[in-house]
Amino acid sequence: MKKKCVIHPKENRKILFNHPPAEKLYRSMLPKMEDYIIALLKVLLASASTPLSKAKTGGSLNVLVDVLPEDPNPVEPQRLQKDLNRHKEIITKAVSASLLLLLKHFRLNHVYQFEFISQCMFYANCIPLVLKFLNQDMNMYVTAENSIPSLDFPTCLFFIPPPTIGHAIIETHDTMPDEASSKIMCWRNLFSTVNMLRIIQKLTKWRPPRTMMLNVFKSPPILKKTLKISHWLVHLYVLKLFKLQAKYLGKNWRKANMKILSSIY
């Protein structure tokens, strides 16, 4: 392990100290920082794409190669589709969390490191990509049920799989009545949504040119639809974004959306 040697200014002795992990990560990523950010955003675009957006972009990156079975006619197509959607949700959650952690830790380590990685993300079209992700039915996305309770950990260790008849699966809800009766939010998708909002907020905070670009990308109607998610953390970061760009939206928009502005203050 390499240690940096520094001579104490008052005492003629050497002090050895280790670099923090964020500094080591930044030094290793610095030569190809733009390539790493673009690669992460490409994976995020491929995992968060809808069929319509995938057709427009061409679908150049396939993140489901390791999950797709070799048999073109699977025995359980419904379970396979749920597993594919779950795989994409996990990738979206992991990539969005990784980008957010890079911004947070580089900001704590040194402000110039944060400025450089945020500039790389901005020039790699991170903001329109996140807005494209948010421009969907977020209520349906947050409450999506793309998990099989019998295969989730730790239930899979104690749950006896139900019998199958042909290609259909007989689901027995006697063992889990609470999950069948109440429809709750998917924590994985909610976590990804909050991460996306926080990434935009960190990229545009105290940056008026980037904040004005939110208006260029037509973010107000997209963020307004995101407010339909009934969760306080989503509302918090959406209102923070509205607070940043409120003075650039014009008087007519502010008059028509006084309820949002009053929620901010």
Side-chain angles (χ1 to χ4, degrees), residues 40-190:
L40 285 174
L41 292 179
K42 282 184 177 180
V43 174
L44 183 62
L45 175 63
S47 62
S49 299
T50 59
L52 180 60
S53 62
K54 190 180 293 185
K56 292 180 180 179
T57 56
S60 58
L61 184 62
N62 187 5
V63 295
L64 303 177
V65 176
D66 298 332
V67 187
L68 290 173
E70 298 179 358
D71 187 8
N73 298 319
V75 178
E76 300 175 351
Q78 294 180 355
R79 178 169 292 196
L80 176 62
Q81 186 61 38
K82 278 191 174 183
D83 193 23
L84 294 179
N85 293 334
R86 175 178 172 272
H87 186 73
K88 293 174 65 175
E89 290 174 359
I90 292 174
I91 293 177
T92 304
K93 177 181 72 72
V95 175
S96 62
S98 300
L99 292 173
L100 181 61
L101 286 174
L102 286 175
L103 290 172
K104 291 175 66 176
H105 283 282
F106 288 160
R107 176 66 180 85
L108 290 174
N109 193 43
H110 201 285
V111 65
Y112 285 166
Q113 297 178 1
F114 169 78
E115 292 296 334
F116 180 65
I117 190 173
S118 61
Q119 184 179 10
C120 292
M121 293 175 64
F122 178 75
Y123 287 140
N125 293 326
C126 179
I127 293 178
L129 172 60
V130 174
L131 292 176
K132 183 180 180 180
F133 168 80
L134 296 174
N135 191 17
Q136 58 177 318
D137 191 353
M138 296 306 297
N139 277 328
M140 185 179 297
Y141 177 76
V142 170
T143 58
E145 298 179 357
N146 291 321
S147 61
I148 304 173
S150 60
L151 299 181
D152 290 342
F153 184 84
T155 313
C156 59
L157 301 178
F158 310 103
F159 184 75
I160 300 175
T164 59
I165 299 177
H167 298 287
I169 303 173
I170 301 176
E171 296 184 357
T172 58
H173 299 289
D174 296 336
T175 55
M176 288 172 248
D178 295 335
E179 295 182 9
S181 59
S182 60
K183 186 177 181 181
I184 59 176
M185 290 186 179
C186 177
W187 68 270
R188 191 165 48 234
N189 295 344
L190 182 64

Side-chain angles (χ1 to χ4, degrees), residues 194 197-198 201 233-242:
V194 174
L197 294 171
R198 294 186 68 182
Q201 195 260 343
L233 201 56
V234 176
H235 291 183
L236 174 65
Y237 288 104
V238 171
L239 293 176
K240 281 186 176 183
L241 291 174
F242 273 124

Side-chain angles (χ1 to χ4, degrees), residues 164-233:
T164 59
I165 299 177
H167 298 287
I169 303 173
I170 301 176
E171 296 184 357
T172 58
H173 299 289
D174 296 336
T175 55
M176 288 172 248
D178 295 335
E179 295 182 9
S181 59
S182 60
K183 186 177 181 181
I184 59 176
M185 290 186 179
C186 177
W187 68 270
R188 191 165 48 234
N189 295 344
L190 182 64
F191 180 74
S192 302
T193 304
V194 174
N195 287 342
M196 298 290 191
L197 294 171
R198 294 186 68 182
I199 288 172
I200 296 183
Q201 195 260 343
K202 286 187 176 296
L203 291 179
T204 57
K205 188 176 181 181
W206 308 114
R207 291 290 178 272
R210 297 180 188 176
T211 307
M212 294 174 65
M213 291 300 294
L214 291 177
N215 195 13
V216 175
F217 295 136
K218 300 179 180 179
S219 66
I222 298 175
L223 296 175
K224 193 174 179 180
K225 289 193 302 182
T226 311
L227 281 175
K228 295 180 181 179
I229 301 176
S230 58
H231 194 274
W232 68 271
L233 201 56

